[in-house]
Amino acid sequence: MRNLLLTLSFDGSEFHGWQMQKNAITVQQVLSDAIFKASGERVVLHGCSRTDAKVHANMFCVNFKTEGEMTTDAYVGALNYYLPYSIAVKSCRQVDDDFHARYSCRQKEYVYLIWNAKHRNPFYKDRAFHYPYPIDINLMNEAAMSAVGTHDFTSFCASGSEVGSKVRTVYSAKVLREDDFVKFIVCGDGFLYNMVRIMVGSLLEIQGGRLEYKTLKEIIEKKDRLAAGFTAPAEGLYLNRVEY
Amino acid sequence: MRNLLLTLSFDGSEFHGWQMQKNAITVQQVLSDAIFKASGERVVLHGCSRTDAKVHANMFCVNFKTEGEMTTDAYVGALNYYLPYSIAVKSCRQVDDDFHARYSCRQKEYVYLIWNAKHRNPFYKDRAFHYPYPIDINLMNEAAMSAVGTHDFTSFCASGSEVGSKVRTVYSAKVLREDDFVKFIVCGDGFLYNMVRIMVGSLLEIQGGRLEYKTLKEIIEKKDRLAAGFTAPAEGLYLNRVEY
């Protein structure tokens, strides 16, 4: 028995997220089918995170256990052949038996991409959030940096989430402009359901003066989802890096 | 009567180029229909260039004459409403009566985008040429720069083209790497049919040692399409800038 780790990237616009579900096409389903076609084996896939519908990944990790004989290189070749263009396998390697793509993860980085120009960008349909109003990057960046640290992020968790502890550590958070794009880059040990998207919605409202708070820190202290801003749409969100 | 100049950007992957034709969807057709919906007028559209099927434009200029009363701002708003997401109107302004988007053009810049990594990039399907082999950027850049100047570009014109003079001036040409992307950026007073794509194919063959020539200049001197390399695929090509 080997425990194999796949590293993928995928354009999430055609998928209903990672996790398998009835009546919807998910990355897990499509990958599971491709592994079956490649190796004849039905394996149990463990993904590094449950991304939402339409969320993208520049890097996404998956592990599975196999009794098969296929080499790791053969997996890469065969899976890229059987998968649609929207999912690419970058690498496959053997890992320790107790490695788990989700639970062994030490750190994740997300990037949220905003197209900040008056008119839409034809190349970023479903790949960035089009926000056509002026953005004050300095205000937004200062507000973002205040989230760094270990906090109870209840204010930034979608209501209805049944996770246990809502304490997470954010290692870094910043906002920067690259021409007409604005990027929010956040790194932490884990993220609650919709946490990054609610941070982005709050940051946009903060810089526009439409929230009574000036920093994410002030919102964190309220421990109330209603203190935060709107949930920015899924299409701007990219899982960018996963560290073990 | 006013002569109006529209500046567009478009994702060419769903279009059979600019120019109207039977039984195929083109940018000119879709734009003409949108103008009709917006203003009730059927106008004659003059595009700055005849882009091929699947070629993209970060900037594309179109002029047309109108007897209508709509303001230029109203055109921008209404056209962005009626056009598909894949075409965006960035601006509309009135120009001199004798202005012609194609014939008044002084300079055009094209960018050719290569995804140079072993495995595909899900975000660049139909938006870059996937070339998975190593590329020697220095060799390619030196070979590219040799094309600068006024030359007869017969070697870089698709056979069957019926254009008169094949003399064009290239103002600048360079190749650079940005992570796993390689970009060829070329600026000139005009380009022959498939000229940029044949330059890219030739540059790739030159750096790989698969052509008997070392620079574009040597190929130019042959005045023979057969001396040049393959025609790189359309999906990597972007009309990037048009100057009047």
Side-chain angles (χ1 to χ4, degrees):
Chain A
M1 197 279 307
R2 287 177 301 160
N3 189 12
L4 299 183
L5 171 64
L6 298 174
T7 304
L8 320 174
S9 61
F10 59 81
D11 173 347
S13 54
E14 28 182 290
F15 301 106
H16 287 257
W18 160 256
Q19 191 163 276
M20 225 177 268
Q21 51 185 287
K22 280 189 183 165
N23 305 321
I25 294 174
T26 65
V27 178
Q28 189 179 26
Q29 179 70 61
V30 171
L31 180 60
S32 175
D33 291 350
I35 291 173
F36 181 69
K37 285 180 194 160
S39 69
E41 228 185 340
R42 272 286 168 206
V43 298
V44 177
L45 297 174
H46 302 289
C48 62
S49 96
R50 303 188 188 180
T51 59
D52 271 348
K54 293 181 178 298
V55 171
H56 311 290
N58 292 322
M59 180 174 177
F60 190 95
C61 292
V62 181
N63 78 293
F64 64 93
K65 303 200 172 180
T66 172
E67 300 290 347
E69 307 270 297
M70 255 172 84
T71 66
T72 51
D73 280 353
Y75 267 108
V76 175
L79 293 180
N80 279 323
Y81 176 78
Y82 285 115
L83 286 167
Y85 206 100
S86 50
I87 304 177
V89 175
K90 294 170 164 186
S91 69
C92 176
R93 64 187 177 88
Q94 189 172 348
V95 288
D96 291 343
D97 286 358
D98 60 353
F99 178 95
H100 188 288
R102 186 165 177 200
Y103 302 122
S104 305
C105 177
R106 289 189 305 111
Q107 197 170 310
K108 278 180 198 155
E109 182 180 87
Y110 281 93
V111 170
Y112 193 93
L113 191 62
I114 297 169
W115 170 247
N116 183 223
K118 191 171 175 195
H119 304 296
R120 63 180 173 252
N121 183 333
F123 302 103
Y124 282 83
K125 180 166 192 255
D126 298 327
R127 293 184 187 174
F129 172 36
H130 182 197
Y131 187 84
Y133 314 106
I135 290 179
D136 185 324
I137 296 294
N138 292 334
L139 270 185
M140 203 166 156
N141 185 45
E142 275 175 40
M145 289 191 303
S146 74
V148 173
T150 301
H151 309 289
D152 178 332
F153 281 94
T154 297
S155 298
F156 294 95
C157 182
S159 57
S161 169
E162 286 172 13
V163 71
S165 165
K166 291 181 179 168
V167 173
R168 296 290 183 277
T169 300
V170 168
Y171 300 118
S172 64
K174 64 183 170 190
V175 176
L176 50 90
R177 177 180 289 285
E178 290 175 0
D179 301 319
D180 285 335
F181 287 101
V182 170
K183 282 184 182 174
F184 171 59
I185 306 171
V186 61
C187 185
D189 64 351
F191 292 87
L192 301 168
Y193 185 53
N194 279 356
M195 180 167 151
V196 180
R197 292 166 55 189
I198 301 170
M199 288 172 111
V200 171
S202 301
L203 289 169
L204 285 169
E205 293 192 29
I206 285 170
Q207 66 81 34
R210 279 173 292 130
L211 269 191
E212 58 176 300
Y213 310 103
K214 295 273 171 257
T215 64
L216 294 188
K217 184 80 178 291
E218 290 173 53
I219 299 170
I220 289 168
E221 285 161 2
K222 294 291 164 189
K223 295 184 190 168
D224 179 3
R225 170 68 185 89
L226 296 177
F230 73 104
T231 304
E235 66 254 32
L237 187 60
Y238 293 71
L239 177 55
N240 198 49
R241 202 159 42 82
V242 187
E243 287 193 14
Y244 293 102
Chain B
M1 198 281 306
R2 287 177 301 159
N3 189 11
L4 298 182
L5 171 63
L6 297 174
T7 305
L8 318 175
S9 61
F10 59 80
D11 173 347
S13 56
E14 28 184 290
F15 300 106
H16 287 257
W18 160 257
Q19 192 163 277
M20 224 177 273
Q21 51 186 285
K22 279 188 184 168
N23 305 321
I25 294 173
T26 64
V27 177
Q28 188 179 28
Q29 179 71 60
V30 171
L31 180 61
S32 174
D33 292 349
I35 291 173
F36 180 69
K37 285 179 194 160
S39 68
E41 227 184 340
R42 273 286 170 205
V43 297
V44 177
L45 296 174
H46 302 289
C48 62
S49 97
R50 303 188 187 181
T51 59
D52 270 349
K54 293 182 177 298
V55 171
H56 311 290
N58 292 320
M59 180 174 177
F60 190 95
C61 293
V62 180
N63 77 293
F64 64 94
K65 302 201 172 181
T66 172
E67 299 289 347
E69 306 270 297
M70 255 171 84
T71 65
T72 52
D73 281 353
Y75 267 108
V76 175
L79 292 180
N80 279 322
Y81 176 78
Y82 286 114
L83 286 167
Y85 205 99
S86 49
I87 304 176
V89 175
K90 294 171 163 186
S91 68
C92 177
R93 64 186 177 87
Q94 188 171 349
V95 287
D96 291 343
D97 286 358
D98 59 354
F99 177 95
H100 188 287
R102 188 166 176 199
Y103 302 121
S104 306
C105 178
R106 289 189 305 113
Q107 196 170 308
K108 278 179 197 155
E109 182 180 85
Y110 281 92
V111 170
Y112 193 93
L113 192 62
I114 297 169
W115 170 246
N116 183 42
K118 191 171 174 194
H119 303 297
R120 64 179 172 251
N121 183 333
F123 302 103
Y124 283 83
K125 180 166 193 257
D126 298 327
R127 294 184 186 173
F129 171 37
H130 182 198
Y131 186 85
Y133 314 107
I135 291 179
D136 185 324
I137 296 295
N138 291 334
L139 270 185
M140 201 165 155
N141 185 46
E142 274 174 42
M145 289 192 303
S146 74
V148 172
T150 301
H151 308 288
D152 178 333
F153 282 94
T154 298
S155 299
F156 293 96
C157 182
S159 56
S161 169
E162 286 174 13
V163 71
S165 166
K166 291 179 180 170
V167 174
R168 297 289 184 277
T169 299
V170 169
Y171 300 119
S172 65
K174 64 183 170 190
V175 176
L176 50 90
R177 176 180 289 284
E178 290 175 1
D179 301 318
D180 285 335
F181 287 101
V182 171
K183 282 184 183 174
F184 171 59
I185 306 171
V186 62
C187 185
D189 65 350
F191 293 87
L192 300 168
Y193 185 53
N194 280 355
M195 180 166 152
V196 180
R197 291 166 57 190
I198 300 170
M199 288 171 110
V200 170
S202 302
L203 290 168
L204 285 169
E205 294 193 29
I206 286 171
Q207 66 82 33
R210 280 175 289 129
L211 268 193
E212 57 176 303
Y213 310 103
K214 295 275 171 254
T215 63
L216 294 189
K217 184 80 178 292
E218 291 173 52
I219 299 170
I220 289 167
E221 285 161 2
K222 295 289 164 191
K223 294 184 191 168
D224 178 4
R225 170 68 186 90
L226 296 177
F230 74 103
T231 304
E235 66 255 33
L237 187 59
Y238 294 71
L239 177 56
N240 198 48
R241 202 157 44 79
V242 187
E243 286 192 15
Y244 293 101

